Amino acid sequence: MKYHTVICLFMALAACQPEKETPIYQSDAFTLYPDKVVQGDNQAVALSPTHLTSNYKSPASETYSRLVSFKFSINEKDNELPPGKNHWLVIGEERESPVIRFGELPEAAPESPGTFLPVNYEYTFRVDMSPVLQQFEEKGYYEAFDGSRVAKADFKNFYIAGGAEPLTWDFVNLEEEGLQLQDSDGDNIYEITLKLNPYNPEDYKDKEWTLTENLFSRPQYKSDQPIVDALFNLSLEEAILNIEPDSTLRTGAKWGGVWTRDISYSIFLAFAYHEPEVAKISLMKKVKRGRIIQDTGSGGAWPVSSDRTTWALAAWEIYKTTGDMDWLRQAHDIIRNTLSDDYKVLKSPRTGMYCGESSFLDWREQTYPKWMSNMDIYVSENLGTNVVHYRAHLILAEMAKILGEPHRNYTERAEEIKKGINDYLWMADKGYYGQYLYGRQYLNLSPRFEALGEALAVLFDVADKEKAQSIIAQSPVTDFGVTCIYPQIPGIPPYHNDGIWPFVQSYWNLAAAKAGNEQVLNHGLAAIYRAGGLFLTNYENFVAGTGDFLGTEINSHRMLWSMAGNLAMVHRVFMGMSFEADGLRFSPVIPGSYPGTKTLSNFRYRGATLNITVEGFGNRIESITLDGEPLEDAFLPADVSGEHAIVIKMNGQAFGGAAINLVENRFSLPTPQLEQEGSVLRWEAIPGAVEYLVYKDGEVLEKTTSAKLEIPAGEVAEYKVSALDGQGFESFTSEPLRAAPETAVRILEIEQFTDASSLPYTNYSGAGFVEISNEKNRSIEMLLDVPQAGEYLVDFRYANGSGPWNTDNKCAVRDLFANDERIGSLVFPQRGTDEWSDWGFSNAYVVRLNKGRNTLRLSFEPWNINMNVEVNRAMVDYVRVVEL
């Protein structure tokens, strides 16, 4: 009897013990459970579908090193020291630095001391600017380490930049960040006092989210994973909060207005079906002259930045979800006009791909080597941007078919872009695409991984099935998610570099689902839900190494494309929705760690209201019914109306046979700096390099362990060098160096062929320079005699002070003709606001010239109209012609 009583008591106690939860995802970095996220001492809990709590504490203030690296700047430019060379201090108990002389090369920085600075530590940086001010007085300009000149007339202010908050390496925003130096007593010693390791107690308090908006008119989602349900509702609420009074979608809590790529990627993910009318209004805010607007950006926007065609992805998705024929006609004409201009200005005759900046990766130093100017970015050919151009052409062809318009031309252009991507960017040894082609006259492939481009290539079928599965299985992913690029760039703070962006993660997850890789999808879903749960909002980005929202260069909560990605995981992954021109197709992809029943009710599709139930897991449908009757091909015709119930039963089979390449977050080696001394190329040895790749005219000439190379005297060639580490990761190449005898280079002073400008700018060559604008010198004809027929490299020295390096929309554009044959478009990007004495070079073309007299013409063509329209202006100094 006693024994029986003890047994019963034990069983009763056991029944009272909480059942141990099975994780959805578990790693050394964090664990995701059905109702919570755990990362060390940090925990977020879904108390209900409308209530979340989090005790997340950022580690940023606890790990703020006493080793601080920084540089000084003239006019918000990185012009004090060569790339990779920074001043440094190990801050002890002192409150001010020694006086540092501007431009003086520092010793190599020591290892981190392993000690940390107290919070809100006030410190004064001091620099002697006499070297600059003396040259201003003696020469009228300051000549920097790279030979570039800052004219005294263009001088604005001195600044400090650095990697320890509140310092930033974002040179073009140093003024905005309050990092201007001051000389209070006129002794040429400039100072600034900053509060290092800034600490805001509000960032370290426990937080909670409770639904406050009315979601009854929105789709309702319920599953056996409460954390997913709550984050779905949080994202719906944030989407409502981002609708502005003018019925457009706000970019983020901190950033108002509509941005072309942000709104377009967001509409594709979620808002074409969640807010179709608001999505239409938002897209039309980004149209001018019947063409898509490229947002303000690098060098003055388009054509340096060239991913405005993301608009087409969104416009087509809206049509597929609404069936609105008026919208289709309007969007068709806008996309047609845009692609017509892009074809003229962006298309590479060599590769068939399009030129321009990486889609969304629009901060130069974050994804490009520092030597690349905005002109160089225009010349580059990026994976993601080209996939978008490919898809935009196919979309235009599909629209044209429906409207009975000509379409074959667009399909042919799309196939040419696709062929270029696969011929020039695919890396068979790595199993995924390279980042971009880059260089100057001769381009080579950057072997870095680029997450968004890879994902889009899978989603839009640029990659065939075999390539798609390889991309998802072989591409590197890190503990907290897929990084924008990999490996990271050394010395560049987290943002695009060394950062994870939830919207990119969302596209990556869609690609993983399409490729049928359960491991990668499970990892990617956990990355989305970890961040949303712990932070209780949809941040734009977080640091790759720590998973922390603090520590990136800029960030905002309630980011549009991040919340769109969160919503898309339910609609496009768990529900498996794929919108087509004539209907809605279902193909759920559910990892085995997300079992149970999922319901999405009150979903509006064209004239119908759908209540959808998905049971079980897997990526194959066992059965699907519409109102109890089988639904053929899991396809709902677009003409359905009324309220309907769809029930999907999955096959309950794992689909996780493919691999995941989970790696530590690594950095490549620094970029070498190449110099020529007579017939010898030299570069400073890079610590950690096991060998170097020397490129000649875009191809690898040789591998070497030496830091120099003998080259033939008298040749014309372009050289670059990169460094390889012990893991085989390649650094960026050095800035291209053109070896050419003086006899091969000719200068044509352009003022010989038209009136020189009377504007008071300096540092030009010859007797003056010529102004080009909408009104002035719309066509300039130049005569050139050459001793023999052959190929010549032609470019132009110019200045454009219409705007800053990084933003605005006043990139000047013209076309080059040789002997009445169109050669291509020339870009003259902005080089600094009102800095009209800062000269650089346009992109170059190889031109075949005849023996004797030739005619070159610089012409303003209709497709050269830039995003500003009213200002398309530059000063042109001379034409440089190099015999090849």
Side-chain angles (χ1 to χ4, degrees):
M1 185 69 178
K2 286 182 180 179
Y3 178 76
H4 179 74
T5 303
V6 170
I7 292 294
C8 289
L9 183 60
F10 176 79
M11 292 176 66
L13 288 170
C16 292
Q17 296 299 313
E19 184 179 343
K20 188 174 182 181
E21 280 191 289
T22 301
I24 293 175
Y25 175 85
Q26 190 166 27
S27 71
D28 292 340
F30 68 94
T31 303
L32 175 67
Y33 293 96
D35 65 342
K36 63 186 175 185
V37 184
V38 178
Q39 181 181 322
D41 295 331
N42 301 304
Q43 181 170 285
V45 180
L47 299 176
S48 78
T50 59
H51 190 187
L52 286 159
T53 63
S54 175
N55 68 349
Y56 181 78
K57 305 293 187 298
S58 168
S61 66
E62 298 173 1
T63 56
Y64 192 106
S65 176
R66 290 182 179 272
L67 175 62
V68 176
S69 298
F70 55 97
K71 281 182 178 177
F72 300 105
S73 163
I74 310 171
N75 290 356
E76 298 182 278
K77 291 185 178 179
D78 187 0
N79 49 16
E80 185 201 7
L81 299 170
K85 302 290 185 183
N86 301 320
H87 300 296
W88 58 268
L89 292 167
V90 176
I91 300 174
E93 301 302 319
E94 77 280 6
R95 293 286 176 166
E96 67 177 18
S97 75
V99 175
I100 298 164
R101 188 170 174 82
F102 185 91
E104 194 169 274
L105 284 172
E107 296 179 1
E111 294 293 323
S112 175
T115 56
F116 307 108
L117 202 64
V119 299
N120 296 329
Y121 191 88
E122 286 199 353
Y123 193 81
T124 300
F125 294 87
R126 300 186 297 164
V127 58
D128 180 2
M129 299 304 301
S130 297
V132 178
L133 299 172
Q134 287 172 3
Q135 285 198 36
F136 278 166
E137 294 306 313
E138 294 168 4
K139 302 178 180 179
Y141 60 83
Y142 172 76
E143 186 165 325
F145 65 90
D146 59 357
S148 62
R149 295 177 177 179
V150 181
K152 180 182 179 181
D154 289 348
F155 171 68
K156 300 183 186 75
N157 288 300
F158 298 123
Y159 301 88
I160 185 172
E165 198 177 1
L167 296 175
T168 174
W169 290 118
D170 182 13
F171 281 87
V172 292
N173 285 312
L174 297 177
E175 176 77 35
E176 184 177 322
E177 295 295 331
L179 296 174
Q180 180 184 333
L181 299 162
Q182 302 288 344
D183 178 9
S184 57
D185 56 8
D187 63 353
N188 295 345
I189 307 300
Y190 283 71
E191 300 181 348
I192 187 170
T193 299
L194 298 171
K195 190 176 288 185
L196 302 179
N197 197 9
Y199 176 84
N200 180 3
E202 291 298 315
D203 291 333
Y204 296 85
K205 289 182 177 179
D206 292 356
K207 293 179 174 62
E208 66 177 336
W209 167 79
T210 303
L211 180 68
T212 57
E213 294 293 320
N214 186 337
L215 300 182
F216 290 123
S217 64
R218 264 61 178 185
Q220 307 293 310
Y221 179 72
K222 182 172 173 44
S223 72
D224 292 339
Q225 292 79 42
I227 192 76
V228 177
D229 303 357
L231 289 173
F232 181 84
N233 289 328
L234 180 149
S235 297
L236 282 178
E237 179 175 74
E238 291 197 331
I240 293 171
L241 295 172
N242 272 33
I243 299 176
E244 299 279 47
D246 65 353
S247 294
T248 60
L249 283 162
R250 182 182 181 89
T251 300
K254 292 184 179 179
W255 298 309
V258 181
W259 291 76
T260 302
R261 69 173 66 89
D262 298 54
I263 191 65
S264 299
Y265 281 128
S266 302
I267 288 171
F268 177 90
L269 285 169
F271 294 115
Y273 50 86
H274 267 286
E275 299 286 352
E277 294 307 314
V278 173
K280 289 178 192 175
I281 294 168
S282 299
L283 282 186
M284 289 309 297
K285 286 280 188 180
K286 307 310 298 182
V287 176
K288 186 176 183 178
R289 297 175 50 249
R291 289 159 173 80
I292 304 164
I293 295 171
Q294 182 77 46
D295 290 316
T296 56
S298 300
W302 185 89
V304 175
S305 298
S306 60
D307 68 340
R308 58 180 175 164
T309 41
T310 51
W311 193 96
L313 312 180
W316 180 233
E317 208 66 18
I318 290 172
Y319 170 71
K320 290 189 295 181
T321 59
T322 64
D324 185 337
M325 288 298 295
D326 290 337
W327 171 256
L328 185 72
R329 292 186 188 94
Q330 187 178 30
H332 166 273
D333 292 351
I334 292 165
I335 297 168
R336 180 195 59 201
N337 295 341
T338 301
L339 293 188
S340 176
D341 288 352
D342 284 354
Y343 181 76
K344 289 280 192 180
V345 177
L346 301 176
K347 184 177 183 292
S348 164
R350 185 177 75 90
T351 66
M353 293 192 291
Y354 281 36
C355 300
E357 190 169 49
S358 305
S359 184
F360 119 84
L361 301 172
D362 60 342
W363 187 335
R364 185 168 58 98
E365 295 91 342
Q366 285 283 331
T367 46
Y368 293 93
K370 285 194 171 184
W371 59 260
M372 283 183 72
S373 69
N374 290 314
M375 174 277 289
D376 294 312
I377 292 175
Y378 165 77
V379 170
S380 68
E381 300 172 31
N382 169 259
L383 171 63
T385 301
N386 271 281
V387 175
V388 169
H389 281 293
Y390 163 76
R391 182 62 183 150
H393 280 84
L394 288 187
I395 286 170
L396 183 57
E398 289 298 313
M399 288 179 165
K401 285 180 191 176
I402 295 170
L403 295 170
E405 299 282 348
H407 60 83
R408 184 171 298 172
N409 195 31
Y410 306 125
T411 304
E412 291 172 353
R413 289 179 183 178
E415 290 305 313
E416 191 175 3
I417 296 169
K418 178 178 177 178
K419 184 178 186 301
I421 294 170
N422 284 299
D423 286 352
Y424 290 95
L425 301 184
W426 179 252
M427 301 185 296
D429 59 328
K430 294 183 181 294
Y432 51 84
Y433 294 103
Q435 180 183 21
Y436 46 62
L437 299 180
Y438 72 122
R440 201 154 279 165
Q441 179 187 354
Y442 299 98
L443 307 184
N444 62 281
L445 178 62
S446 168
R448 274 184 167 81
F449 161 81
E450 184 207 281
L452 181 60
E454 308 283 353
L456 296 178
V458 172
L459 291 172
F460 299 146
D461 297 318
V462 169
D464 60 25
K465 184 176 181 181
E466 182 180 350
K467 279 190 172 77
Q469 291 178 341
S470 173
I471 289 167
I472 300 303
Q474 299 301 321
S475 294
V477 296
T478 64
D479 281 344
F480 294 107
V482 64
T483 55
C484 294
I485 61 170
Y486 190 92
Q488 315 309 324
I489 306 169
I492 301 297
Y495 185 60
H496 295 141
N497 184 62
D498 196 20
I500 295 171
W501 289 54
F503 103 88
V504 175
Q505 183 73 62
S506 301
Y507 276 96
W508 180 253
N509 292 354
L510 295 181
K514 180 175 179 177
N517 191 314
E518 187 169 3
Q519 287 193 77
V520 173
L521 177 58
N522 200 32
H523 169 268
L525 289 167
I528 294 282
Y529 296 135
R530 180 204 72 90
L534 291 176
F535 307 151
L536 298 186
T537 185
N538 289 286
Y539 269 108
E540 182 167 50
N541 51 62
F542 49 88
V543 179
T546 63
D548 189 19
F549 69 90
L550 289 178
T552 64
E553 286 285 78
I554 51 175
N555 206 352
S556 176
H557 60 291
R558 217 176 75 218
M559 280 302 296
L560 189 69
W561 46 15
S562 300
M563 68 183 75
N566 208 313
L567 294 170
M569 296 304 96
V570 166
H571 292 279
R572 294 189 178 274
V573 179
F574 296 144
M575 296 291 115
M577 292 179 175
S578 177
F579 300 94
E580 300 179 12
D582 55 352
L584 171 57
R585 193 173 301 279
F586 292 92
S587 181
V589 182
I590 304 174
S593 55
Y594 291 82
T597 299
K598 299 168 179 61
T599 61
L600 184 70
S601 57
N602 196 37
F603 181 77
R604 311 286 175 82
Y605 170 66
R606 298 201 181 188
T609 300
L610 306 179
N611 300 308
I612 308 161
T613 301
V614 180
E615 299 176 356
F617 64 91
N619 69 340
R620 294 287 183 271
I621 294 175
E622 188 174 275
S623 67
I624 179 170
T625 60
L626 174 66
D627 301 328
E629 297 295 324
L631 183 61
E632 187 177 355
D633 295 328
F635 184 76
L636 184 71
D639 60 0
V640 68
S641 61
E643 187 167 354
H644 299 277
I646 295 173
V647 178
I648 303 171
K649 294 184 179 179
M650 304 304 293
N651 67 353
Q653 299 295 312
F655 53 99
I660 181 171
N661 185 20
L662 186 60
V663 298
E664 66 174 290
N665 191 33
R666 293 187 62 89
F667 290 76
S668 71
L669 294 174
T671 304
Q673 309 299 312
L674 186 61
E675 297 178 348
Q676 183 179 3
E677 298 176 3
S679 60
V680 176
L681 299 178
R682 298 184 186 276
W683 56 94
E684 188 175 329
I686 303 290
V690 297
E691 58 185 351
Y692 302 93
L693 297 181
V694 180
Y695 291 83
K696 179 181 179 181
D697 295 342
E699 302 292 335
V700 175
L701 175 66
E702 67 173 83
K703 289 185 178 181
T704 179
T705 57
S706 176
K708 64 179 181 179
L709 181 73
E710 188 93 16
I711 61 172
E715 69 170 356
V716 177
E718 185 177 87
Y719 288 96
K720 295 176 283 192
V721 62
S722 65
L724 292 173
D725 67 16
Q727 302 295 315
F729 289 112
E730 183 180 1
S731 75
F732 284 130
T733 67
S734 63
E735 181 172 5
L737 186 152
R738 183 182 300 143
E742 291 184 9
T743 54
V745 182
R746 296 190 58 189
I747 301 298
L748 262 69
E749 296 290 350
I750 202 164
E751 66 272 14
Q752 297 176 20
F753 305 100
T754 189
D755 292 340
S757 170
S758 60
L759 291 165
Y761 308 141
T762 62
N763 292 338
Y764 55 83
S765 168
F769 54 88
V770 170
E771 180 180 0
I772 58 173
S773 68
N774 284 345
E775 301 80 24
K776 296 181 180 180
N777 294 305
R778 290 177 63 93
S779 180
I780 304 174
E781 199 167 274
M782 297 148 281
L783 301 178
L784 170 65
D785 290 315
V786 296
Q788 57 189 15
E791 291 187 334
Y792 293 78
L793 192 68
V794 178
D795 60 4
F796 289 72
R797 188 172 190 251
Y798 81 98
N800 183 348
S802 299
W805 268 79
N806 68 317
T807 188
D808 219 331
N809 58 7
K810 304 183 186 79
C811 179
V813 190
R814 297 294 184 273
D815 266 24
L816 175 65
F817 292 79
N819 299 322
D820 294 325
E821 177 187 353
R822 181 178 182 269
I823 305 301
S825 292
L826 292 165
V827 298
F828 306 94
Q830 299 164 188
R831 296 183 60 83
T833 303
D834 296 327
E835 295 179 38
W836 289 101
S837 298
D838 184 321
W839 301 86
F841 284 95
S842 72
N843 55 309
Y845 284 102
V846 176
V847 178
R848 183 152 196 92
L849 297 178
N850 304 320
K851 181 179 180 180
R853 179 61 54 92
N854 293 266
T855 302
L856 300 177
R857 178 159 50 91
L858 189 64
S859 179
F860 194 165
E861 299 296 327
W863 50 85
N864 296 152
I865 297 173
N866 64 12
M867 294 298 101
N868 184 274
V869 180
E870 301 302 321
V871 179
N872 197 324
R873 181 172 180 245
M875 307 299 145
V876 183
D877 188 14
Y878 61 70
V879 187
R880 181 171 59 178
V881 181
V882 181
E883 184 178 1
L884 299 177

